[in-house]
DNA sequence: AAAAGCCACAACCGCTCTCAC
DNA sequence: TGTGAGAGCGGTTGTGGCTTT
């Protein structure tokens, strides 16, 4: 299975993009829109493979990319989302407007992974199995056979004991996070779905295949583990990550809402006793803008939810909804 | 001042999924 | 139903530049 790498073709540029290439790509996409990545390089006059063009555009050139430091609010959201979703960078990125999955992944591997690990190691030694693949880059570097010159194999620094620079990573965090084993989510059927409405049966009748059942089991295990280890603080995700109100506090009219999906198409889950109705939701629509406001606003709201002790809510259905 | 160590992140790779035919 | 192309995702690598020795 699989195909030959699209970049293996002789004569194509690889490595860092030049300003000229960036300009060409940007101009072409501005004129013709995204898509057709395979034929795009030729049409745009680029000696790059389509995949490389797509990556460059998605992760760097897109006008809605937010450059700059990750804010503490975003930082916190990432940790919480990761604790629930694992390494589902694209899903996490979907909750952070202007951030890319690659950026978040890198940020996690270089900052948050260590941060959480430090936090976790002081709390428990059982992280290993449950963490997933978090700081793989760091792990890799110890085996680095690459260009870095004269890297002594016995070097093997202990990153956590490292120098003063690490002090910023040692800053205390206020949350207790359990990291579930990464699980495969099947977001595509949602993300790429054009349907505007569908219904989920909360009794899982929608789960049919063995794979889905396996995921469901994973999910339940995760939820169980999560509940066991997270008594101190229940995680809620904000509207970007999807938060839940106490079902007892659900407004009968509004239901409870949490959102997931891509930046342009979100899902609103409304709870009606047994069923959950999911609707396509235009993230940037005017109604949505009124409803969501800025990230800061959302974060405030999110913090409020966090502070509501009574808002404990089972994560089962939430996790299930993400796995559908 | 120079070399080595280290970090951060852009870019690449390989795989999977969806969809059209 | 099978197949191939297009697209997307997560893991990994390469490397410039900063820090430490």
């Amino acid at each position: 299975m699989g195909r030959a790498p699209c970049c293996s073709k002789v004569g194509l540029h690889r490595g860092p993009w030049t300003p000229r290439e960036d300009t060409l790509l940007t101009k072409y996409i501005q004129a013709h829109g995204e898509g057709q990545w395979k034929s795009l390089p030729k049409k745009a006059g680029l000696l790059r493979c389509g995949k490389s063009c797509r990556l460059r555009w998605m992760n760097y050139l897109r006008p809605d990319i937010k450059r700059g430091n990750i804010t503490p609010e975003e930082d916190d959201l990432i940790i919480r989302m990761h604790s629930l979703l694992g390494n589902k960078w694209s899903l996490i990125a979907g909750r952070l407007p202007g951030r890319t999955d690659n950026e978040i992944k890198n940020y996690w591997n270089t900052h948050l992974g260590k941060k959480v690990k430090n936090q976790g190691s002081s709390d428990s030694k059982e992280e290993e199995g449950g963490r997933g693949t978090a700081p793989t880059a760091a792990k890799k570097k110890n085996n680095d056979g690459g260009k870095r010159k004269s890297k002594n194999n016995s070097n093997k620094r202990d990153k956590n004991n490292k120098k003063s620079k690490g002090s910023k990573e040692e800053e205390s965090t206020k949350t207790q996070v359990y990291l579930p084993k990464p699980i495969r989510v099947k977001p595509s059927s949602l993300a790429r779905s054009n349907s505007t409405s569908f219904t989920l049966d909360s009794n899982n009748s929608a789960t049919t295949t063995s794979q889905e059942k396996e995921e469901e089991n994973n999910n339940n295990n995760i939820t169980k583990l999560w509940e066991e280890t997270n008594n101190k603080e229940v995680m809620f995700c904000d509207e970007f990550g999807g938060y839940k109100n106490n079902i007892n506090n659900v407004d009968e009219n509004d239901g409870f809402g949490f959102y997931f999906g891509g930046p342009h198409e979100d899902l609103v889950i409304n709870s009606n006793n047994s069923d959950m109705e999911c609707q396509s939701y235009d993230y940037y629509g005017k109604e949505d803008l009124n409803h969501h406001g800025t990230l800061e606003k959302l974060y405030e709201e999110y913090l409020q939810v966090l502070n509501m002790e009574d808002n404990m809510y089972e994560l089962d259905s939430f996790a299930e909804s993400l796995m559908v």
Side-chain angles (χ1 to χ4, degrees):
Chain A
M1 287 295 283
R3 291 175 296 164
C6 62
C7 300
S8 65
K9 292 172 186 169
V10 182
L12 294 185
H13 283 182
R14 295 182 59 187
W17 280 66
T18 65
R20 182 176 176 276
E21 287 176 314
D22 283 346
T23 304
L24 282 172
L25 179 59
T26 302
K27 282 185 177 174
Y28 181 86
I29 291 177
Q30 281 172 350
H32 301 93
E34 297 180 28
Q36 304 298 312
W37 295 109
K38 192 169 186 179
S39 58
L40 185 149
K42 195 173 180 181
K43 293 176 183 171
L46 286 161
L47 286 171
R48 293 272 181 176
C49 72
K51 198 171 180 175
S52 182
C53 292
R54 178 185 156 272
L55 216 58
R56 182 64 178 173
W57 174 256
M58 293 296 191
N59 289 334
Y60 203 84
L61 298 176
R62 245 172 24 187
D64 56 334
I65 296 284
K66 189 203 285 183
R67 314 299 303 179
N69 296 336
I70 304 276
T71 66
E73 289 83 3
E74 290 173 318
D75 188 290
D76 194 29
L77 282 175
I78 293 168
I79 291 175
R80 289 172 180 279
M81 287 294 289
H82 187 273
S83 72
L84 184 66
L85 299 171
N87 297 359
K88 299 299 168 189
W89 307 118
S90 60
L91 283 177
I92 295 171
R95 311 299 91 220
L96 295 164
R99 301 295 186 186
T100 68
D101 53 355
N102 205 37
E103 184 180 16
I104 291 172
K105 179 174 60 182
N106 284 331
Y107 186 67
W108 178 271
N109 287 338
T110 55
H111 296 90
L112 297 181
K114 287 180 282 186
K115 181 175 168 180
V116 170
K117 186 174 183 179
N118 285 343
Q119 190 180 348
S121 62
S122 65
D123 200 42
S124 165
K125 291 182 179 178
E126 298 183 290
E127 290 270 338
E128 285 291 303
R131 177 177 305 287
T133 57
T136 53
K139 182 175 64 183
K140 242 335 213 188
K141 279 184 174 151
N142 287 341
N143 300 328
D144 191 11
K147 316 226 157 188
R148 205 160 292 124
K149 30 197 171 198
S150 69
K151 177 150 274 188
N152 187 344
N153 280 342
S154 63
N155 153 25
K156 312 321 172 204
R157 66 199 187 256
D158 179 354
K159 294 178 143 205
N160 293 333
N161 293 340
K162 233 19 204 155
K163 60 191 171 186
S164 58
K165 192 177 176 182
S167 63
K168 111 180 159 190
E169 292 155 15
E170 290 160 11
E171 64 192 21
S172 62
T173 52
K174 56 192 175 197
T175 57
Q176 200 75 40
V177 177
Y178 168 74
L179 295 179
K181 184 177 179 179
I183 45 177
R184 182 143 196 102
V185 182
K186 295 168 86 175
S188 5
S189 58
L190 288 176
R192 297 179 192 183
S193 169
N194 290 325
S195 62
T196 55
S197 176
F198 62 94
T199 300
L200 281 179
D201 186 337
S202 63
N203 293 325
N204 300 325
S205 61
T207 302
T208 51
T209 69
S210 59
Q211 186 184 2
E212 284 165 345
K213 283 202 186 314
E214 187 181 337
E215 286 172 357
E216 180 191 340
N217 287 336
N218 285 341
N219 223 9
N220 290 336
N221 290 338
I222 288 163
T223 304
K224 203 174 287 180
L225 276 170
W226 196 92
E227 286 171 345
E228 287 169 1
T229 55
N230 233 349
N231 287 333
K232 298 166 196 163
E233 181 181 286
V234 166
M235 180 181 72
F236 287 87
C237 297
D238 73 345
E239 285 178 297
F240 284 153
Y243 73 75
K244 294 183 135 184
N245 294 323
N246 185 331
I247 196 160
N248 295 324
N249 293 338
V250 168
D251 181 310
E252 289 293 327
N253 296 322
D254 295 335
F256 71 86
F258 64 97
Y259 308 82
F260 60 91
H264 297 294
E265 181 184 40
D266 246 327
L267 294 171
V268 183
I269 309 266
N270 295 316
S271 169
N272 295 317
N273 292 334
S274 61
D275 289 338
M276 294 192 288
E277 178 185 305
C278 305
Q279 297 178 316
S280 174
Y281 202 84
D282 183 2
Y283 210 69
Y284 294 130
K286 61 182 179 191
E287 189 180 349
D288 186 54
L289 283 174
N290 287 337
H291 193 257
H292 293 277
T294 63
L295 178 62
E296 288 76 14
K297 181 184 167 190
L298 290 174
Y299 192 72
E300 281 176 27
E301 197 174 333
Y302 153 69
L303 288 177
Q304 284 176 5
V305 175
L306 281 175
N307 291 332
M308 289 195 279
E309 291 276 330
D310 292 340
N311 262 352
M312 302 285 248
Y313 186 82
E314 291 181 13
L315 285 162
D316 286 8
S317 55
F318 174 52
E320 279 163 15
S321 68
L322 290 171
M323 296 304 129
V324 172

